[in-house]
């Protein structure tokens, strides 16, 4: 567990929560984001809620802290902060000219990278999070390095004792049998070189990285691909090197007893999850998430089967409705915002586990995964701060210490999460049908407003809870310990596209404040709700902000200029020495809801123009497309690298 430093003012605020009154006996008045955050966010990460700010930059997280705090989160989890391979020539699209998964290709374990920000920006983010009572969890990736070993830093290689000591002997051999623990822990995962995590010199280097993160303000770590790092009793790759990675990284770091650690252990194929729970302290609960997603899609929430987290009875797990892995691979595509909200209510209203809210990209749906901005660094979907999501977060904090019981009612269409005799969250599994609730309860007699704002009042009389639960909604019911949420402004823009074709007209939106500001091209202007703004060609960034007595909300939008290549345009390629005589051009665009391509791999054959030069004429128009050249064996750019920007009349060549 991680306990924050608490000021005298915050201590008074926490006492207010416990007593329900100020020192003068009057009801509390919440006026600042800092006080609200400290009231509603437990210092104990384990008992709170985590916002997974997937691919947000450090500055974006820092600017969003008032909203994160007001939404009741305990912690924010950031993407890997270590030095990474600059894929796609440093492009910052989630998919396309750049890729999110380069974050998981370390070239060194130092703090800061081109995708999320510098170490100085990380430090500022952590310091501001401390002010809001928000803990910072860092996603760390010790299992492998970038696929391009040539990009791995000399400092890391030398610290490990050379390349042969940095990697396992079979580091390039792909795992073929996941039931084999020796393959799982020492062979290559997804083609990435497997680090020798038993090497004491590497362990020292990685622990120094963890300690630097702790010094900079980190409060916990998520260990990526933890199942692929050996447990103490797993087969040893080297008889002289014990499997002691987990023991060292969980005990030899600074302030080890207060650091929150959890490992990504995807269940199945000899996962040994109970042993990982013992070794690390916490793991993910992937089977529970899969079960919950299935129930949400099937519109049935079975209380008996949803009781327990399917990890051998332990509650030391991080739970989720979806993770970045099952989102990016499309397996959670059938979940819309309503299903995510209801699934969140199921996991976050319970007392066990530590729920993690994965924030999808801005403008994304399950079937359009990269969203309308398709941008690394930007804040994601505003669903994370939806009033109903925030109400569930606040409920969880208020119910700390109360027992959890799951029951069904309304002919099993409704799941009730009962928290002792103080609160209930009701979840309607049906998207298109209202439900009348009449269920036994331990709540005291009285009227219970739905704190989510989605339904009206519910009534408890003589041990029976009654009320109307609208289709596809949740009801958050409690009176004892309830405090009014902050009312932060909401800033946004009305547009479905972030591609500028010459210029782009947008409407600026604002609620909760009389006026706000926008920053464009370095100048700051005042605006009111409904004002229109024309963004000129070349606009890359627009920042909106607005403040109230309760705090300030900030949102930054990113834009891309349209790059259209017309049909009949011609491109060329100079063949490198050693390539074959048949050259292909593979043109594609994967930034939308589905992959568009000119042909199946390796593409369409180019025409030889002599002297090693080949040409290709486009048969259709392309927007913001990429191109890869190949002879069927060799390719440029290399595998796992995005293509080159498609440009009319361009003669491409491989750099010497």
């Amino acid at each position: 567990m991680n306990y924050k430093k608490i000021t005298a003012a915050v201590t008074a605020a926490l006492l207010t929560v416990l007593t329900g009154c100020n020192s003068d006996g009057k009801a509390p008045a919440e006026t600042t984001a800092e006080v609200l955050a400290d009231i509603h966010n437990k210092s104990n990460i384990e008992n709170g809620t985590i916002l997974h700010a997937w691919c947000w930059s450090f500055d974006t997280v820092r600017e969003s802290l008032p909203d994160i705090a007001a939404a009741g989160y305990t912690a924010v989890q950031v993407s890997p902060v270590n030095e990474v391979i600059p894929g796609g020539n440093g492009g910052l699209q989630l998919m396309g000219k750049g890729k999110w998964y380069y974050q998981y290709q370390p070239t060194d374990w130092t703090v800061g990278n081109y995708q999320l920000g510098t170490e100085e920006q990380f430090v500022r983010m952590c310091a501001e999070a401390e002010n809001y009572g928000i803990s910072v969890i860092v996603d760390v990736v010790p299992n492998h390095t970038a696929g391009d070993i040539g990009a791995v830093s000399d400092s890391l290689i030398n610290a490990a004792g050379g390349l042969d000591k940095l990697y396992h002997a079979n580091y390039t051999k792909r795992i073929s049998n996941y039931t084999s623990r020796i393959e799982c822990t020492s062979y290559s995962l997804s083609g990435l070189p497997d680090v020798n995590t038993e090497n004491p010199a590497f362990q020292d280097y990685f622990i120094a990285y963890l300690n630097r993160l702790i010094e900079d303000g980190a409060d916990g770590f998520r260990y990526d691909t933890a199942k692929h790092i050996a447990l103490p009793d797993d087969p040893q790759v080297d008889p002289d090197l014990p499997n002691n990675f987990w023991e060292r990284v969980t005990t030899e770091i600074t302030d080890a007893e207060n650091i929150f650690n959890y490992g990504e252990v995807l269940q199945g194929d000899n996962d040994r999850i109970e042993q990982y729970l013992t070794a690390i302290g916490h793991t993910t609960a992937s089977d529970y998430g899969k079960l919950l997603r299935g129930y949400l899609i099937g519109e049935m929430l079975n209380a008996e089967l949803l009781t327990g987290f399917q990890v051998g009875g332990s509650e030391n797990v991080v739970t989720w409705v979806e993770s970045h892995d099952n989102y990016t691979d499309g397996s959670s595509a059938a979940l819309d915002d309503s299903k995510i909200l209801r699934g969140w209510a199921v996991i976050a209203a319970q007392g066990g586990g530590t729920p993690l809210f994965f924030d999808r990209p801005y403008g994304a749906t399950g079937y359009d995964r990269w969203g309308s901005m398709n941008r690394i660094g930007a804040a994601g979907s505003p669903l994370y701060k939806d009033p109903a999501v925030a109400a569930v977060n606040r409920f969880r904090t208020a119910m700390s210490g109360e027992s959890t019981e799951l029951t069904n009612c309304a002919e099993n269409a409704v799941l009730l999460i009962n928290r002792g005799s103080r609160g209930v969250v009701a979840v309607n599994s049906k998207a298109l049908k209202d439900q009348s609730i009449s269920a036994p309860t331990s709540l005291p007699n009285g009227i219970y407003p739905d704190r989510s704002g989605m339904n009206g009042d519910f009534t408890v009389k003589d041990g029976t809870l009654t009320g109307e639960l609208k289709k596809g909604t949740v009801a958050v019911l409690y009176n004892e310990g309830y405090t009014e949420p902050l009312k932060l402004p909401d800033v946004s823009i009305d547009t479905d596209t972030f591609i500028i074709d010459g210029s782009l007209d947008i409407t600026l939106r604002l609620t909760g404040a009389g006026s706000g500001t926008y920053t464009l091209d370095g100048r700051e202007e005042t605006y009111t709700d409904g004002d229109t703004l024309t963004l000129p060609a070349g606009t890359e960034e627009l920042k909106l902000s607005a403040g109230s007595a309760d705090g300030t909300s900030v949102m930054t939008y990113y834009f891309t200029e349209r790059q259209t290549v017309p049909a009949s345009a011609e491109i060329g390629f100079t063949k490198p020495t050693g390539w074959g005589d048949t050259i292909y051009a593979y043109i594609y665009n994967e930034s939308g809801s589905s992959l568009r391509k000119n042909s199946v791999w390796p593409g369409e054959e180019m025409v030889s123009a002599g002297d090693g030069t080949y040409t290709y004429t486009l048969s259709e128009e392309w927007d913001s497309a990429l191109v890869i050249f190949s002879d069927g064996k060799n390719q440029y750019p290399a595998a796992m690298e995005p293509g080159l920007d498609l440009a009319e009349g361009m003669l491409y060549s491989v750099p010497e």
Side-chain angles (χ1 to χ4, degrees), residues 289-362:
K290 182 177 181 179
L291 176 71
L292 179 57
R293 291 192 298 276
Y295 278 162
L296 292 166
I297 293 167
E299 298 197 338
M300 178 190 73
L301 296 170
N302 185 296
E304 182 178 357
L305 295 179
L306 286 169
T307 298
F309 298 115
Q310 300 193 325
V311 287
S314 176
E315 293 190 342
N316 294 332
V317 290
V318 171
T319 56
W320 61 52
V321 180
E322 61 180 349
S323 71
H324 73 268
D325 286 317
N326 52 55
Y327 177 74
T328 55
D329 71 12
S331 60
S332 63
L335 299 183
D336 58 15
D337 283 357
S338 172
K339 290 183 175 65
I340 293 171
L341 165 62
R342 286 177 281 159
W344 180 249
V346 172
I347 61 172
Q350 297 188 55
T354 302
L356 177 142
F357 188 101
F358 167 71
D359 191 46
R360 290 178 168 184
Y362 184 90

Side-chain angles (χ1 to χ4, degrees), residues 541-613:
E541 182 178 314
L542 173 70
K543 179 181 291 187
L544 304 184
S545 65
S548 69
D550 289 340
T552 300
S553 290
V554 178
M555 180 67 188
T556 301
Y557 298 93
Y558 299 91
F559 299 86
T560 303
E561 192 165 6
R562 184 180 298 280
Q563 298 176 351
T564 301
V565 181
S568 77
E570 185 176 274
I571 61 172
F573 179 66
T574 300
K575 182 186 73 170
T577 302
W579 279 37
D581 293 331
T582 302
I583 304 297
Y584 302 90
Y586 178 75
I587 298 174
Y588 69 101
N589 187 328
E590 57 187 348
S591 62
S593 58
S594 60
L595 173 66
R596 182 188 174 198
K597 55 190 177 182
N598 67 335
S599 178
V600 296
W601 178 259
E604 294 189 350
E605 187 173 344
M606 302 182 74
V607 177
S608 174
D611 299 326
T613 300

Side-chain angles (χ1 to χ4, degrees), residues 116-190:
L116 304 184
T118 65
E119 181 172 15
E120 290 74 19
Q121 289 168 313
F122 178 76
V123 170
R124 287 199 297 271
M125 178 197 71
C126 291
E128 189 71 357
E130 176 97 5
N131 290 337
Y132 280 90
I134 303 289
S135 298
V136 174
I137 298 172
V138 176
D139 198 347
V140 294
V141 191
N143 178 68
H144 51 262
T145 67
D148 180 5
I149 294 177
V152 175
S153 78
D154 290 338
S155 296
L156 171 59
I157 294 170
N158 293 335
L163 279 175
D164 60 327
K165 299 291 180 61
L166 177 59
Y167 299 111
H168 283 124
N170 290 312
Y171 71 95
T172 61
K173 189 172 183 179
R174 287 178 178 259
I175 302 169
S176 61
N177 178 12
Y178 277 83
T179 64
S180 166
R181 288 297 297 169
I182 196 70
E183 282 196 31
C184 193
T185 60
S186 65
Y187 284 24
S188 169
L189 175 67
S190 302

Side-chain angles (χ1 to χ4, degrees), residues 300-612:
M300 178 190 73
L301 296 170
N302 185 296
E304 182 178 357
L305 295 179
L306 286 169
T307 298
F309 298 115
Q310 300 193 325
V311 287
S314 176
E315 293 190 342
N316 294 332
V317 290
V318 171
T319 56
W320 61 52
V321 180
E322 61 180 349
S323 71
H324 73 268
D325 286 317
N326 52 55
Y327 177 74
T328 55
D329 71 12
S331 60
S332 63
L335 299 183
D336 58 15
D337 283 357
S338 172
K339 290 183 175 65
I340 293 171
L341 165 62
R342 286 177 281 159
W344 180 249
V346 172
I347 61 172
Q350 297 188 55
T354 302
L356 177 142
F357 188 101
F358 167 71
D359 191 46
R360 290 178 168 184
Y362 184 90
T365 66
Y367 297 96
D368 185 7
R369 283 171 286 167
W370 315 119
S372 49
M373 272 196 283
N374 186 23
R375 173 74 182 210
I376 294 169
S381 164
L383 183 63
Y384 82 91
K385 58 180 179 178
D386 182 271
V389 172
V392 174
N393 292 347
R394 291 160 56 83
F395 174 90
R396 177 179 172 88
T397 299
M399 296 297 117
S400 180
E402 296 289 340
S403 62
T404 300
E405 181 186 19
L406 306 186
T407 58
N408 286 119
C409 70
E411 298 180 343
N412 292 335
V414 174
L415 178 71
L416 300 176
I417 302 101
N418 304 282
R419 297 300 304 276
S421 61
R422 291 182 53 209
V424 174
V425 169
V427 184
N428 188 348
S429 68
K430 306 299 182 183
L432 300 176
K433 185 178 180 181
D434 297 346
Q435 302 293 336
S436 295
I437 291 179
S438 179
T441 184
S442 298
L443 295 181
N445 289 345
I447 303 298
Y448 289 82
D450 176 11
R451 306 301 184 180
S452 77
M454 304 182 82
N455 299 278
D457 293 348
F458 289 69
T459 301
V460 173
K461 184 177 180 180
D462 299 332
T464 300
L465 171 67
T466 58
E468 298 297 318
L469 187 61
K470 294 178 183 178
K471 58 188 178 184
T473 68
V474 304
V476 180
L477 310 175
Y478 69 114
N479 289 333
E480 182 186 348
Y482 175 74
T483 53
E484 287 292 330
L486 267 186
K487 294 179 174 60
L488 270 64
D490 183 65
V491 294
S492 62
I493 61 177
D494 280 352
T495 184
D496 294 326
T497 180
F498 290 83
I499 305 294
I500 297 180
D501 190 359
S503 63
L504 178 65
D505 294 329
I506 62 172
T507 302
L508 306 179
R509 292 298 183 189
L510 172 63
T511 59
S515 64
T517 61
Y518 70 83
T519 304
L520 179 66
D521 293 331
R523 75 179 193 276
E524 186 175 286
E525 302 287 348
T526 301
Y527 82 95
T528 59
D529 182 53
D531 285 353
T532 59
L533 181 64
T534 298
L535 303 179
T539 297
E540 296 182 356
E541 182 178 314
L542 173 70
K543 179 181 291 187
L544 304 184
S545 65
S548 69
D550 289 340
T552 300
S553 290
V554 178
M555 180 67 188
T556 301
Y557 298 93
Y558 299 91
F559 299 86
T560 303
E561 192 165 6
R562 184 180 298 280
Q563 298 176 351
T564 301
V565 181
S568 77
E570 185 176 274
I571 61 172
F573 179 66
T574 300
K575 182 186 73 170
T577 302
W579 279 37
D581 293 331
T582 302
I583 304 297
Y584 302 90
Y586 178 75
I587 298 174
Y588 69 101
N589 187 328
E590 57 187 348
S591 62
S593 58
S594 60
L595 173 66
R596 182 188 174 198
K597 55 190 177 182
N598 67 335
S599 178
V600 296
W601 178 259
E604 294 189 350
E605 187 173 344
M606 302 182 74
V607 177
S608 174
D611 299 326

